[in-house]
Amino acid sequence: MDILASQFRAARALLGKDQEAVAAWVELDRREISRWEAAKYKLYSSHAEALQKAFEKNGIEFLSATGVHGAGVRWRKPGQKDRFRGAQFRAARAMANQSMRDLQKMSGVNRNFVNRLETGLIGGLNLETLKKLEQAFARLNIELTTESESWGAGVRWTVQDPFSKPAATEHS
């Protein structure tokens, strides 16, 4: 299974781990993880496989693209404590490779709120604010997936190939 750099970014964000911690799992330099997550170069297949296994050992499942959805990540098992879905929003932002400032511009939601949400330092939520964030991710072709009896919540692309350019259309 080929895993996109965006899936590794989202998996790391879902777990709340920094690049240093993830690099240590597979004895890579943090800069290699950083360059790979930025899609500046491709990981050797053995490194990618080791990284995938390390994430899976830590409870993450990688989702392949299907005929209906694009690739994604989710918790392997249901029941992860994610009050207000902060880790899930963090994973969606990482998958889209958006900064908090980018998300603020797109959603109209203050980046300080986004930071508090993602770090679990928020007391309560306005459902309208959550809706704005969800709509921003939908415009970026990212779906926040729900937990089921068999697996946990996660994020996935809503398109087969999020990096393909749309076909040019001819104008008369």
Side-chain angles (χ1 to χ4, degrees):
M1 171 174 154
D2 285 336
I3 296 179
L4 304 170
S6 62
Q7 286 176 276
F8 278 125
R9 283 193 311 268
R12 185 173 60 75
L14 197 58
L15 288 169
K17 299 292 183 185
D18 63 19
Q19 291 175 340
E20 192 76 35
V22 170
W25 291 346
V26 290
E27 298 178 1
L28 287 174
D29 186 274
R30 184 209 53 84
R31 292 173 297 202
E32 289 182 82
I33 299 293
S34 177
R35 286 189 296 265
W36 190 76
E37 283 186 357
K40 292 188 177 176
Y41 78 100
K42 190 172 181 169
L43 273 177
Y44 291 111
S45 60
S46 61
H47 289 156
E49 187 177 310
L51 202 51
Q52 178 183 350
K53 286 180 182 177
F55 276 113
E56 290 171 348
K57 181 180 175 185
N58 282 278
I60 298 295
E61 180 178 7
F62 290 91
L63 307 172
S64 298
T66 67
V68 179
H69 296 97
V73 297
R74 67 181 174 207
W75 291 106
R76 191 177 283 282
K77 296 180 181 174
Q80 295 297 321
K81 292 187 185 333
D82 187 10
R83 190 166 184 227
F84 303 125
R85 299 179 9 201
Q88 194 177 21
F89 280 107
R90 185 176 57 235
R93 190 171 58 78
M95 181 168 263
N97 204 19
Q98 298 287 298
S99 69
M100 287 186 192
R101 181 166 284 153
D102 295 334
L103 186 56
Q104 177 179 306
K105 286 179 189 173
M106 179 172 251
S107 68
V109 175
N110 186 288
R111 68 179 182 264
N112 293 323
F113 174 84
V114 173
N115 182 50
R116 290 191 319 273
L117 173 66
E118 289 183 3
T119 56
L121 299 175
I122 195 154
L125 288 179
N126 175 325
L127 294 178
E128 190 62 33
T129 303
L130 284 184
K131 187 89 156 157
K132 287 179 183 179
L133 291 172
E134 289 173 348
Q135 289 170 343
F137 287 122
R139 287 191 300 276
L140 292 167
N141 297 315
I142 293 180
E143 172 187 21
L144 286 84
T145 62
T146 57
E147 183 175 288
S148 78
E149 291 181 13
S150 303
W151 58 76
V155 295
R156 74 179 315 145
W157 291 106
T158 58
V159 294
Q160 284 293 310
D161 184 356
F163 307 106
S164 68
K165 302 276 190 249
T169 56
E170 290 189 41
H171 298 281
S172 312

